[in-house]
Each structure stands twice: as structure tokens, then as C-alpha cells.
């Protein structure tokens, strides 16, 4: 059971950084190259590449080689549904989250 909790923590870690969430939102509906992602979220290519590696390593996204480009997209429909569920739940509790003074790292 503890192993299952550890795996959940590792999986959720993929969603626990602003840049990774921006990347996921950017590719939620369409595959994109690193350059497209960098331009869309106004990021730094090296930083974005590191976060893409994290997301890919956690199994949240996949990369598909086409010619000299790699296109990144969500691993499957379940990840898309999870992102949509985050939005739905957050819609209900956003005031509480915004005013929470008990966030711990």
C-alpha cells in the first residue's frame, strides 16, 4: 500500500509545477513541437525541455518523431480528462484555494 502512495506522489509531482501545467494546457488539444510550446507559453527552451523530460518520464506525455521534429502530446484521453477534472473541481473550490493559508511543501 505504501508503494501505491509513493507512486501517486510521483505521478502528481508531474502536475506540481506552473511550467508543467502550462505545457499540459498548451498540448491538451493538439500535439506541438518544443518551439511551438516555447512560443505559446513564452518560456525558455532549455527550461521547457527539462519539464518535457519530467512529464515524459512520469508517463503523462509522449513524444512522436516526425522528420527532424518531435511532437509532444498527452499520453491518452484519461490525462485530458484528468486536466479537465482539475478545472472542474477548481471551479468549485477556487476561493478556498486562493485564500488558503495552510499550504505546506
Amino acid at each position: 500500500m505504501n508503494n501505491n502512495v509513493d507512486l501517486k506522489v510521483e505521478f502528481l509531482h508531474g502536475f506540481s509545477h506552473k511550467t508543467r501545467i502550462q505545457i499540459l494546457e498548451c498540448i491538451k488539444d493538439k500535439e506541438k513541437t518544443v518551439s511551438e510550446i516555447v512560443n505559446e507559453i513564452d518560456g525558455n527552451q532549455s527550461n521547457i525541455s527539462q519539464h518535457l523530460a519530467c512529464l515524459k518520464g512520469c508517463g503523462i506525455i509522449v513524444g512522436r518523431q516526425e522528420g527532424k521534429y518531435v511532437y509532444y502530446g498527452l499520453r491518452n484521453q484519461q490525462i485530458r480528462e484528468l486536466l479537465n477534472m482539475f478545472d472542474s473541481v477548481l471551479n468549485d473550490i477556487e476561493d478556498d484555494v486562493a485564500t488558503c493559508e495552510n499550504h505546506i511543501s
Side-chain angles (χ1 to χ4, degrees):
M1 177 161 169
N2 190 29
N3 187 34
N4 192 28
V5 170
D6 292 340
L7 283 174
K8 285 179 184 178
V9 170
E10 287 298 314
F11 175 68
L12 290 171
H13 177 74
F15 298 95
S16 69
H17 193 279
K18 181 179 179 179
T19 301
R20 290 194 290 273
I21 294 294
Q22 288 175 307
I23 291 168
L24 292 171
E25 290 295 330
C26 178
I27 65 173
K28 185 160 73 170
D29 297 316
K30 182 181 181 227
E31 291 180 322
K32 295 190 177 143
T33 64
V34 174
S35 299
E36 290 173 317
I37 295 167
V38 167
N39 290 336
E40 198 164 312
I41 69 174
D42 197 28
N44 164 297
Q45 181 156 350
S46 173
N47 188 36
I48 300 288
S49 292
Q50 289 176 351
H51 286 292
L52 285 167
C54 174
L55 290 166
K56 194 172 176 193
C58 286
I60 297 169
I61 67 169
V62 292
R64 177 181 61 81
Q65 185 88 34
E66 187 174 301
K68 64 179 183 171
Y69 298 103
V70 176
Y71 287 85
Y72 292 95
L74 300 181
R75 180 184 192 98
N76 55 35
Q77 181 62 27
Q78 289 172 305
I79 299 291
R80 184 173 293 104
E81 290 169 7
L82 185 57
L83 291 170
N84 290 335
M85 189 174 292
F86 285 158
D87 291 340
S88 177
V89 170
L90 188 57
N91 207 23
D92 287 342
I93 63 168
E94 64 186 316
D95 291 339
D96 294 327
V97 173
T99 58
C100 180
E101 296 177 6
N102 298 311
H103 290 292
I104 55 175
S105 298

